[in-house]
Amino acid sequence: MDFLVRFASTSEDRDAAFALRRAVFEQEQNIPRPLDRDAHDTSADHVVAFAPDGRCVGTGRIVRLDSRTCRLGRQATAASHRSRGVGAAVLEQLERMARLRGVAELTVHAQLPAERFYRNRGFVREGEVFLEEGVPHVLMRKRLAP
């Protein structure tokens, strides 16, 4: 494994995550700026993955929706580190964090190309395709084992 995944515990960790999100969502995917930062970033729990050279190569967050549910989101992996297990490792840590918080269920608005990634990790699709920031998504849900 050529990366280290951890909970984002400092403002520097979160700034690195935001920079990666800008690179992936805005520059690579041409998604409007609202995916860079939003009001949930201050209350969300964030996870980051760093390469040995200190670059942030993966990130994601969970936002509590109610006493038993969190929404996973803003998960991004640097192009240089895709298909190397970064996304799966970030998701694993986000699930671990949710369990530590007593959460029973995760939801995610998955971009269509990411649907298989989440399905392979136990998420189930609900409903039809919808647009979020002009990008097709599907709602997916996963119940967490205690």
Side-chain angles (χ1 to χ4, degrees):
M1 181 182 330
D2 61 340
F3 55 89
L4 170 69
V5 180
R6 67 175 189 249
F7 300 148
S9 60
T10 67
S11 59
E12 292 80 11
D13 286 348
R14 287 183 294 281
D15 288 344
F18 301 149
L20 177 61
R21 284 170 25 186
R22 271 191 306 279
V24 171
F25 297 131
E26 283 184 45
Q27 297 165 1
E28 184 180 327
Q29 298 180 354
N30 294 313
I31 296 174
R33 189 143 179 90
L35 281 184
D36 173 26
R37 302 273 304 262
D38 67 15
H40 296 295
D41 279 325
T42 56
S43 61
D45 290 312
H46 298 263
V47 167
V48 288
F50 287 97
D53 64 5
R55 286 180 305 122
C56 182
V57 295
T59 188
R61 73 178 190 188
I62 54 173
V63 174
R64 189 174 284 274
L65 299 178
D66 57 39
S67 63
R68 63 180 302 276
T69 310
C70 278
R71 180 179 302 151
L72 170 74
R74 303 304 198 262
Q75 188 165 355
T77 301
S80 63
H81 280 68
R82 291 187 190 138
S83 299
R84 294 168 67 178
V86 174
V90 166
L91 179 58
E92 182 179 305
Q93 288 302 316
L94 289 167
E95 288 185 13
R96 180 172 176 258
M97 184 180 291
R99 283 187 190 92
L100 289 171
R101 304 253 187 275
V103 170
E105 181 173 82
L106 285 176
T107 65
V108 63
H109 292 180
Q111 291 183 11
L112 290 185
E115 181 178 3
R116 185 176 59 160
F117 169 83
Y118 290 109
R119 186 177 57 247
N120 289 344
R121 286 152 185 87
F123 284 78
V124 176
R125 179 178 173 169
E126 292 185 1
E128 299 301 316
V129 174
F130 61 92
L131 293 179
E132 188 170 294
E133 299 298 332
V135 177
H137 286 72
V138 291
L139 172 64
M140 300 186 81
R141 186 175 307 276
K142 180 177 182 176
R143 299 199 191 289
L144 300 177

